[in-house]
Amino acid sequence: MIRALLVVLIIIAGLVIGPLWAGNTGYVLIEMAGWQIETSVVGAAIVVAVAIVLIWLLDWLISKLVRRGRMGSRWLRQRRQRKAQTAYQDGLTALLENDYDTAQQRFAQAYKVKARSEFAALAGFAAQHQGDSEAARRWRDKLSNFQRPNEYSLRVSEISQLSKSQPEAARQQLLALLSESPKHRGALALAPQVLSETEAWHDLYELLPAIEREKALPEDQLQPLRYQVLLQLFLNKGRQGNATLASFWHQLDKRERRDAGVRLAYAQALHHLGEDVIAAKVIYRGLKRGDMSLYQVLKADLLVVSNDDIVNYVQEGLRKTPDDGVYLQALGQMALQSGDYSLAQRALKSAAEKSPSARVYRQLGQAYEALGDPQLALSAYQKAMSYYADKFAEKAPTTLPKH
């Protein structure tokens, strides 16, 4: 920094001395926003030099303050650590001398300077021996704020075993553990199993954000879990009456209602409750707004042929993309529902050529069977079974476990 400053000063000195030596100082004209500044080269050079020196001094001062601030904070931190350590040592000495009152005071002082679990535990121990049960309870409460991963993991294992024989007791213990440690991944991962066994769907629904946030489950398990939980919640509300179900649906956040899984779960619940007309309207709104895809509706078996809006939606899609396998499958499925087996066979056969799947071949087999062609129906069913077999093989282990 100093060398650079010296070089700048030498250059500026040359600019000043040169014109003076030649007897011609020259001038500098600066015009900006209607203002004019006219000075000699010497004057301009002096102004530049002074500005550079001031900038350098300001930079040096700021660096100095920053360094002192860091040193000061480091010194204060070290001082606090020394005070905590001194109070801790004094507390241990008092404890050895059976002076529990002084011991508690010193451990409390150490905890105040730096909150650590051992300080709280020793302060509680001293309070208990002193006979101050209220102070001992307060220190136990403070101690419970510190996470104990090994203890929690052991409790999760115990709850998992307990759920096999006493599911309700396991549910209560799990919720108690999560109230102590809301972010424990093991407890959150166990929650779907324990809470679904006791049908505590509302408790599980409230835990879904934490399960997702803490990555307690793999991504491919989160969406099916969310769908199952919401479906059961919708069914429970629906059994209390349509008004209760509709109220619960509208209480959901607007963004949540536009989620494909949530909307499909709602429509599926309506279908189970015999409200197919309302379910079809829910599906059509989701398709029209792009909240869900036609493929998702087909996969959930929620395509309703009795709804004119859905029929028009599929027909419009086929007019735009006549070779689209999903629209062809939708047409075939609607034809099956309406009893037009010839149309169903043609549409599903085309769908199988464009986008083959177990579902398409199974429905094609149904169409052939309805048309009285058992051979082609058997062939289609066999192809559907081969897709199911391939899917099962992908999930099956490649090696046998070692014993």
Side-chain angles (χ1 to χ4, degrees), residues 33 42 49 93 108 114 141 144 154 164 192 197 212 239 279 284 290 294 296 303 325 331 346 358 376-377 383 385:
V42 175
T93 302
K114 187 173 181 61
D141 291 342
S144 67
L154 179 61
K164 298 175 183 177
E197 286 176 354
E212 184 175 2
R239 294 185 184 106
Y284 175 68
L294 184 60
Q296 290 174 311
L303 196 65
L331 176 63
R346 293 196 303 274
L376 290 176
K383 289 179 180 178
M385 289 301 296

Side-chain angles (χ1 to χ4, degrees), residues 89-269:
Q89 294 294 339
D90 291 345
L92 289 176
T93 302
L95 205 59
L96 291 171
E97 295 173 353
N98 295 328
D99 187 356
Y100 297 116
D101 183 34
T102 302
Q104 185 189 174
Q105 292 177 16
R106 294 295 178 266
F107 290 133
Q109 182 183 355
Y111 184 88
K112 185 177 180 181
V113 175
K114 187 173 181 61
R116 293 174 60 176
S117 59
E118 55 265 37
F119 297 160
L122 288 167
F125 178 78
Q128 190 69 37
H129 279 73
Q130 188 186 357
D132 191 347
S133 58
E134 182 61 25
R137 184 191 61 78
R138 289 198 303 268
W139 285 113
R140 283 197 300 271
D141 291 342
K142 291 181 185 296
L143 187 60
S144 67
N145 293 330
F146 294 89
Q147 287 191 356
R148 294 160 288 181
N150 293 334
E151 177 186 336
Y152 288 144
S153 298
L154 179 61
R155 286 172 64 183
V156 168
S157 178
E158 292 173 350
I159 292 170
S160 178
Q161 292 298 320
L162 183 63
S163 66
K164 298 175 183 177
S165 57
Q166 302 179 52
E168 180 57 30
R171 181 189 73 85
Q172 294 176 5
Q173 291 191 22
L174 178 68
L175 293 177
L177 191 156
L178 285 170
S179 68
E180 297 174 24
S181 181
K183 297 182 180 181
H184 194 280
R185 292 182 64 190
L188 290 170
L190 183 62
Q193 173 193 331
V194 173
L195 298 181
S196 61
E197 286 176 354
T198 55
E199 298 186 356
W201 302 112
H202 192 270
D203 291 333
L204 187 50
Y205 174 71
E206 291 184 338
L207 287 174
L208 285 176
I211 293 173
E212 184 175 2
R213 185 171 56 250
E214 300 302 324
K215 296 181 169 41
L217 292 177
E219 287 288 336
D220 60 344
Q221 294 181 20
L222 282 173
Q223 193 64 24
L225 173 64
R226 185 179 181 81
Y227 179 84
Q228 179 193 12
V229 171
L230 282 165
L231 175 60
Q232 295 300 327
L233 273 178
F234 287 137
L235 286 171
N236 289 343
K237 297 294 182 182
R239 294 185 184 106
Q240 299 173 29
N242 289 347
T244 304
L245 176 58
S247 175
F248 179 71
W249 167 253
H250 289 293
Q251 285 174 7
L252 296 177
D253 183 76
K254 184 177 180 180
R255 183 172 53 184
E256 194 171 15
R257 292 201 305 269
R258 297 197 64 171
D259 179 82
V262 176
R263 185 167 282 271
L264 285 169
Y266 181 49
Q268 190 69 265

Side-chain angles (χ1 to χ4, degrees), residues 365-394:
Q366 292 172 353
Y368 279 129
E369 189 175 0
L371 291 170
D373 197 331
Q375 286 296 114
L376 290 176
L378 178 61
S379 176
Y381 287 141
Q382 287 174 340
K383 289 179 180 178
M385 289 301 296
S386 69
Y387 275 91
Y388 286 123
D390 291 342
K391 187 175 182 180
F392 176 78
E394 289 176 2

